[in-house]
Amino acid sequence: EQLKHTLCNYIPSPDNILGRDQSNLQGKVIIPALRRPVKNDFHGIIFPRMNYLIQQLLIGTAIASLGLCLFWAYRCRRDIARVGQEAGPKTFYLLAAFFCLAVLARLFLSTPKHLLFNDEFYHMIAAKNLALFNQFGYFVKAPGWSLLLAGMFALFGVHNYTAIGATLFLGALTVLSVFFLVFLILKERRIALLSALVFVLMPDHVFWSTTAETNVASLFFVTCAAVFMLLYYRQPTQELLWLCLMSITFSAHIRPENYFLFLLFILGAKSMAKSRPRLTGAPWLAAALLNLPFLFYASAYNRQYFVGQAPPPFLSFLQSFPRIFDSSLYPWIFILLFITGFIYGRRRYAASH
């Protein structure tokens, strides 16, 4: 009954996520302090039933993809450090200043809040259940994000502000990944620094960095995956291939639409890499095995959730694609900057390679 009351009331303030029921809680544990994970009975009506095996598979694939990503990042540390050496030692002082500025901007120019109340609640309650009971509980939308939040809850306590702080930290870190992404494409230190500085104060990113939603964390891991992809294009080694595939896999466990990065990686390898990657072998097999459980779960969720309410996700995408040039979604200047930057970046990359 407490969950039904919570899910049926939109209360955006982190301090009032449970509304009237907050007075019944002890201390500052704002997320429901359940003694055991919530059963499937209530959400089984709307969402796909989540048995114990699927839960363990999702937890295992999220942990494995993150662990393998960190492992191969360590193995490729020399390739990553080489990019830092190319940028120059003084660059790191500026990036450190940009990072601090990004943190301050998100602390003082925005306020902690919950914009997508139901979605953020799902992420946090799944993370709380994972941290305390070693399973997601009744439902999970993003196993990768809930895994990261569970680690933060274990370190800093179960609280809404812990989740928002994790988002803020990853949002500030994205400044660094944006710099290296632009630097690898254009080979221009000043333009890369300017891009990072612009990103520091990007209004939408500052605004969403003080929520518990997945879009900020997703952008960080997407830009990191793009950096690793460019490193692989420059020097296609087996270690960098592992790193690319595992980083894409974990970013997809945060938001499933990030699976498009696999297609982007293959297309980029065919046009930019010195040697085309084989779509077989241990790295691709590992990526397939780690992605199958979440792909199955996400497809089951979409089939059940969208029945009678909306067309299938792919058809919905085709129907909404013409609105990509709709200025009500985002300013026209974004489209012009994208086209200009793509053409300029493509020419610079071709000239330097």
Side-chain angles (χ1 to χ4, degrees), residues 71-324:
F71 172 77
W72 288 109
Y74 176 77
R75 290 290 300 272
C76 299
R77 63 189 183 280
R78 294 181 180 177
D79 298 297
I80 299 174
R82 192 175 298 116
V83 179
Q85 294 174 358
E86 295 174 4
K90 295 182 180 180
T91 303
F92 288 95
Y93 294 107
L94 292 174
L95 290 177
F98 289 172
F99 173 79
C100 296
L101 181 60
V103 172
L104 293 175
R106 284 147 183 79
L107 285 175
F108 295 104
L109 298 182
S110 185
T111 56
K113 54 194 169 294
H114 291 300
L115 295 175
L116 300 179
F117 177 70
N118 285 353
D119 288 356
E120 294 178 54
F121 177 83
Y122 294 142
H123 304 317
M124 291 186 292
I125 194 64
K128 178 180 184 293
N129 285 330
L130 182 59
L132 300 181
F133 311 111
N134 299 321
Q135 55 180 299
F136 286 128
Y138 64 101
F139 179 65
V140 60
K141 287 179 66 70
W145 181 229
S146 294
L147 174 65
L148 292 176
L149 290 183
M152 297 297 292
F153 287 166
L155 291 174
F156 302 104
V158 179
H159 197 284
N160 300 64
Y161 288 108
T162 303
I164 293 174
T167 307
L168 189 150
F169 178 72
L170 291 178
L173 275 183
T174 310
V175 174
L176 309 182
S177 58
V178 166
F179 166 81
F180 287 108
L181 179 61
V182 177
F183 181 75
L184 284 172
I185 295 174
L186 301 180
K187 300 295 182 181
E188 286 285 349
R189 175 176 170 271
R190 292 182 178 179
I191 296 179
L193 286 172
L194 179 61
S195 301
L197 181 60
V198 170
F199 191 84
V200 166
L201 299 175
M202 186 173 289
D204 284 345
H205 194 269
V206 172
F207 184 72
W208 283 95
S209 291
T210 51
T211 69
E213 185 46 37
T214 57
N215 47 8
V216 173
S218 174
L219 183 60
F220 170 72
F221 286 100
V222 165
T223 52
C224 287
V227 169
F228 300 147
M229 289 159 58
L230 290 174
L231 289 176
Y232 176 80
Y233 298 157
R234 187 168 66 171
Q235 186 179 358
T237 63
Q238 192 76 353
E239 290 79 8
L240 284 172
L241 177 60
W242 272 100
L243 180 57
C244 289
L245 296 180
M246 292 304 103
S247 60
I248 295 174
T249 297
F250 186 72
S251 67
H253 276 69
I254 294 180
R255 291 187 72 96
E257 59 265 34
N258 293 340
Y259 279 117
F260 86 94
L261 288 174
F262 282 109
L263 177 61
L264 183 64
F265 173 64
I266 295 172
L267 294 176
K270 290 183 178 295
S271 61
M272 301 170 65
K274 295 180 180 179
S275 62
R276 296 183 180 181
R278 295 187 305 168
L279 301 183
T280 57
W284 292 97
L285 177 61
L289 292 176
L290 290 175
N291 283 291
L292 281 176
F294 187 49
L295 280 172
F296 171 79
Y297 173 74
S299 62
Y301 162 73
N302 284 329
R303 283 199 307 271
Q304 188 163 347
Y305 184 74
F306 288 104
V307 168
Q309 300 183 32
F314 182 71
L315 180 59
S316 177
F317 168 77
L318 292 179
Q319 291 178 348
S320 62
F321 184 77
R323 296 191 65 198
I324 192 171

Side-chain angles (χ1 to χ4, degrees), residues 13 20 26 59 132 213 218 233 327 346:
S13 172
R20 293 188 300 272
Q26 299 295 327
I59 295 172
L132 300 181
E213 185 46 37
S218 174
Y233 298 157
S327 60
R346 179 61 182 165

